[in-house]
Each structure stands twice: as structure tokens, then as C-alpha cells.
Amino acid sequence: MFEEIRMLDNFYQTSSFFPMPVVLVSTLAESGQTNLGPYSLCFPHIIAGEGKYAMMLICREDSNTATNIRRTGMCAINFIPDEKKYMENCVTLGFPGESTEEKMKNSIFTLIPSRRDNGNGEHPELVEEAVQIFECTWDESHEVSLIEGCSNFLLRVDNILLRREYRDAIVNGLEAKRFPSLPIDWGFRDNTSFWFAETKKPYAVDIPKSKGVNVNTVMYAAQRYDPSVEWTPEACEKIINVPRIFLKRVFKGVVEAAKTEGVTIITPEFMDKVRDKRSEEKSN
Ligand SMILES: Cc1cc2nc3c(=O)[nH]c(=O)nc-3n(C[C@H](O)[C@H](O)[C@H](O)COP(=O)(O)O)c2cc1C
């Protein structure tokens, strides 16, 4: 049985249960010190189109984070691992009204320079304890203030840094034990506390094996292997039955041949040509 609930401001935490990530947004204060602000309303916003990926951050207009993004145009989104001591410190760092200097005295996080910095301190520092970090540039042309006191920042993702083990897991194949442990923020509830939850072990649910799906999977893997070369669905269909672990080898051979010949779109005919050439080389 459902019952309607009255919607209040911040409906996602006052009138419902909405799982959110926990990130520390690092920005540069005017003094040059890095400021860490905890945020949860931070989601992928533009998800496709080369070089255009962007996040949306919903942020109190007069927070240190908002002021710094507006002044410097930069921030880094640090995803904090699921440990109670980190959540406790996030809540401390989330107390409104403190200057960077005041609040950062209480931070337990380790700050390291951005690699794009060349030692000049021009970029916000990064949180060493993070699982992954998105370094971003604010796209000013999209600033939206949908409600008073609140800024929506469109943040172009310049680069994504992942801890090596998780990067390897994405690139070389996922297993449940290789997922990072990231917390869920259930928000500031009951006007007294933030509520967090641990994530459980992930599990895979296989998609039904239909033809279209398999072609898409191969196309996705091919694009990931080398985004500068395009594969037609028909070309991908030809290698649908190649076991996943050998796919990379096939991509490598075909992409190398395409680049040598200046081909940018892989068609079934081109694949036949590569195959014929191979067997010719073998028989010689
Ligand atoms: C876990 C957590 C999540 C938060 N999420 C948001 C959010 O999405 N948007 C927001 O405006 N404030 C959020 N806050 C409150 C800000 O952290 C708070 O305004 C803080 O003063 C911001 O720090 P800053 O002034 O250094 O940017 C959150 C606080 C915590 C503890």
C-alpha cells in the first residue's frame, strides 16, 4: 500500500530515499590553499560525444566551493571510499560558514599535487585517499541558477584518475571483488544527522543474448580499444564469436592494418582483406 507524502524543499532527502555518492570537491581558495567541500548532488550530465563529458554539481551559491569555482574555473571531484572515519570527517568539513583556513585544520585527508600542475600550484590539490578523481573545468556558458541561493555548475571532465587496481579491473575485465567500496549518502535526514550506508558486494546480471546486444558489446569494446577508428555493425558481427580474451588481438591486427592504409572506417570487406593478406603471409 502506497501513501502520498508531502513534498518539502530538498525532497530527495526530506520526502524520499534517494541514494547519492559522496565526493570531496577540491578547489583553490584565494590564498592558494586547497579547499575540500563534501557534496552529493554531483551526477553525470553530458555522457556522450568526444571531449564533451560533463558532471553537474548542485552547490550552495555562497559556499567556498562555489566561490572558488567561479573565480578559478577549476575543481577536482574526489570520490571518497566507504569508511566511517572518512564520512565523519566529511560531515565536519560540511559545516557551513567556515573559511578554508579554519575548516582545513580539521581535515584528515592527504592532499597531493595535481599532475597537470608542473609544481606551480595553479590547480587544486587531489585527495590521496580517493578511489577515483575527475579533474574538471567549469563551463561558464552553462551556469544555471534554478533556485535562489543555489548554483548548478556544468563541469567538463578533463581527465579521470583511477587507482591502479580499479583501472585494471575496468580495462581488463570486471570481477565482483575488484569493485571499489564507495558509500551511499542518504542525505541530511531528520534535521539532526547525515545518514550513510555501506555498499554490498556487487553482482552481475547478464543481459539476454540477442544478436543486437552482442554486436553492441563488440562495437563498444572496439571503440574503447581505439576511439580514432570506427567499426560498422556488420564488421563487428563478423567477430561476435571470438572469445572475449582474444578480441583485443583481433582489434590490434585490424586497427594496425587500417592505420597503415589510412582507413578510418572498418567494414566487413576491409576485414576480409586483412584476413586474406594474413593467410597469404602465412602461406609464404
Ligand atoms: C555528505 C555531504 C553531502 C553534501 N552535499 C551537498 C550538496 O550536494 N550540495 C550542497 O550545496 N551542499 C552539500 N553539503 C553541504 C556542504 O558540504 C556545505 O555547504 C559546506 O559548507 C560546503 O563546504 P565549502 O563551503 O567548503 O564548499 C553536503 C554535506 C555533506 C556532509
Side-chain angles (χ1 to χ4, degrees), residues 41-48 52-58 77 134 139 142-144 146 152-157:
L41 297 173
C42 186
F43 296 94
H45 196 68
I46 300 180
I47 56 154
K52 291 195 179 138
Y53 311 131
M55 298 288 284
M56 178 62 72
L57 172 70
I58 306 181
I77 302 175
F134 296 180
D139 185 340
H142 285 71
E143 188 181 10
V144 210
L146 297 170
N152 291 35
F153 289 105
L154 187 87
L155 302 170
R156 300 276 178 196
V157 182

Side-chain angles (χ1 to χ4, degrees), residues 171-235:
V171 175
N172 301 327
L174 290 168
E175 290 164 60
K177 65 173 191 295
R178 302 176 74 187
F179 275 68
S181 246
L182 290 167
I184 295 172
D185 178 15
W186 288 110
F188 181 60
R189 312 194 73 94
D190 59 29
N191 261 346
T192 54
S193 325
F194 278 87
W195 284 78
F196 298 95
E198 292 169 4
T199 44
K200 291 196 178 149
K201 195 174 148 199
Y203 55 91
V205 177
D206 291 344
I207 42 174
K209 288 196 175 17
S210 75
K211 200 168 137 200
V213 163
N214 283 334
V215 170
N216 283 343
T217 314
V218 176
M219 279 185 81
Y220 177 78
Q223 203 212 359
R224 167 146 239 155
Y225 178 79
D226 188 333
S228 67
V229 176
E230 198 183 311
W231 293 64
T232 65
E234 294 74 22

Side-chain angles (χ1 to χ4, degrees), residues 18 23 29 75 149 154-155 263:
F18 187 74
V23 301
C75 71
L154 187 87
L155 302 170
V263 168

